[in-house]
Amino acid sequence: MDRPLVVVLNSASVDGRLAVSPGKLLLYGDERWQAIEGASDFNVFQWLKARHKPGATLEGSGSFLPEGQAPDPLPAFEGDASSLYQDHLPESIVGRPGHRGWFTAVDGRGRVRWGFKDGAAFGDDWIGWHLLVWVGRHTPPAYLAYLRREEIPYLVSGEGRVDLGEALVKIKALLGVECVLSTGGGRLNGALLRAGLVDEVNVEFLPALIGGVETPSLFDAPSLGPDQAPTRLELLSCQAQAAGRVWLRYRVG
């Protein structure tokens, strides 16, 4: 396979919702979500990390900035921008001693202003990890110039939107990543699903029902056409956990 294995992990209500209401960033906490999540004596993320040894994690920009919220403006870029649309992988970061992995984020529109680059900010388990952004040939040059000023590596793929398949091929070919562990939201999950890029699905179902037509769900993707079939799954394991949680693990068939 010319791309890494892609493993998806999410916590969801029994009806497949990833948040209690639209516009809430679970990355920064929601007391209502924390109330249904409860305590757990088993960490699925750490189990998957130990099993698959991912070289990268993956998030969408919606994990860091709500849709509709305007980011801080950036200085306009002056001059020839063509050089900005080349992959930016400075050797001082890619070849640094002690490298262990990449915090990868898709941000083709240039929405996020990054408050971290080095994983050491998240504790000892993340020492040696570094931020890497996926952008496209449509990404504003001011944002690419910002990433370069901040010494944030990025990969360029796609026209009009980030081509996730191309980015995955690049991250394996250029950086040697063999597995990506995605914990992004429903839109990123949906894009990966429709592109045929999901190899394993892990869902921790929480004992609650949320509903809501606009509330983010596990796979927010375009509806299937009349000639398209659902994605078939093969059950790998099912584990009941504390406080009514259930972890389902599937291989995409």
Side-chain angles (χ1 to χ4, degrees):
M1 188 162 57
D2 61 356
R3 63 166 177 83
L5 183 80
V6 176
V7 178
V8 171
L9 168 64
N10 289 106
S11 295
S13 61
V14 170
D15 56 336
R17 298 303 192 266
L18 296 178
V20 177
S21 59
K24 285 292 184 180
L25 296 177
L26 294 184
L27 196 64
Y28 300 111
D30 182 324
E31 291 181 357
R32 298 171 298 167
W33 184 267
Q34 292 166 355
I36 66 170
E37 198 170 30
S40 176
D41 56 359
F42 184 81
N43 189 312
V44 175
F45 180 87
Q46 293 297 339
W47 188 92
L48 290 170
K49 196 175 168 203
R51 178 176 180 81
H52 289 297
K53 297 178 175 54
T57 61
L58 180 62
E59 297 283 344
S61 64
S63 296
F64 305 95
L65 189 72
E67 194 66 37
Q69 181 175 323
D72 295 334
L74 292 169
F77 180 79
E78 304 289 344
D80 182 6
S82 59
S83 64
L84 298 176
Y85 291 91
Q86 305 295 320
D87 298 327
H88 181 57
L89 300 171
E91 180 59 28
S92 60
I93 296 173
V94 174
R96 72 196 189 287
H99 171 78
R100 294 173 57 208
W102 299 99
F103 290 113
T104 308
V106 182
D107 191 16
R109 290 177 289 168
R111 302 176 66 235
V112 183
R113 308 294 178 260
W114 298 99
F116 75 92
K117 291 181 285 187
D118 195 303
F122 301 104
D124 292 348
D125 285 348
W126 294 104
I127 291 174
W129 289 68
H130 200 282
L131 177 64
L132 172 70
V133 182
W134 292 1
V135 298
R137 298 172 190 93
H138 60 290
T139 302
Y143 184 65
L144 302 181
Y146 156 76
L147 294 178
R148 289 184 178 238
R149 287 195 304 272
E150 294 296 318
E151 298 185 325
I152 296 173
Y154 60 81
L155 294 175
V156 182
S157 64
E159 301 276 358
R161 62 187 305 169
V162 174
D163 185 322
L164 300 175
E166 182 183 347
L168 285 166
V169 169
K170 281 190 171 187
I171 202 172
K172 180 174 182 177
L174 299 177
L175 299 173
V177 172
E178 295 288 345
C179 176
V180 172
L181 178 54
S182 176
T183 56
R187 290 189 178 185
L188 178 57
N189 287 347
L192 290 167
L193 176 70
R194 289 292 182 256
L197 298 172
V198 178
D199 300 299
E200 181 177 314
V201 176
N202 293 266
V203 184
E204 276 193 291
F205 283 108
L206 310 178
L209 297 170
I210 294 172
V213 174
E214 297 180 353
T215 305
S217 62
L218 278 167
F219 289 89
D220 288 331
S223 299
L224 288 174
D227 298 324
Q228 292 178 296
T231 299
R232 297 297 300 269
L233 303 176
E234 175 191 348
L235 183 65
L236 296 176
S237 62
C238 175
Q239 180 178 320
Q241 299 177 324
R245 300 156 68 117
V246 178
W247 168 31
L248 299 180
R249 181 171 174 244
Y250 291 97
R251 176 185 297 118
V252 176

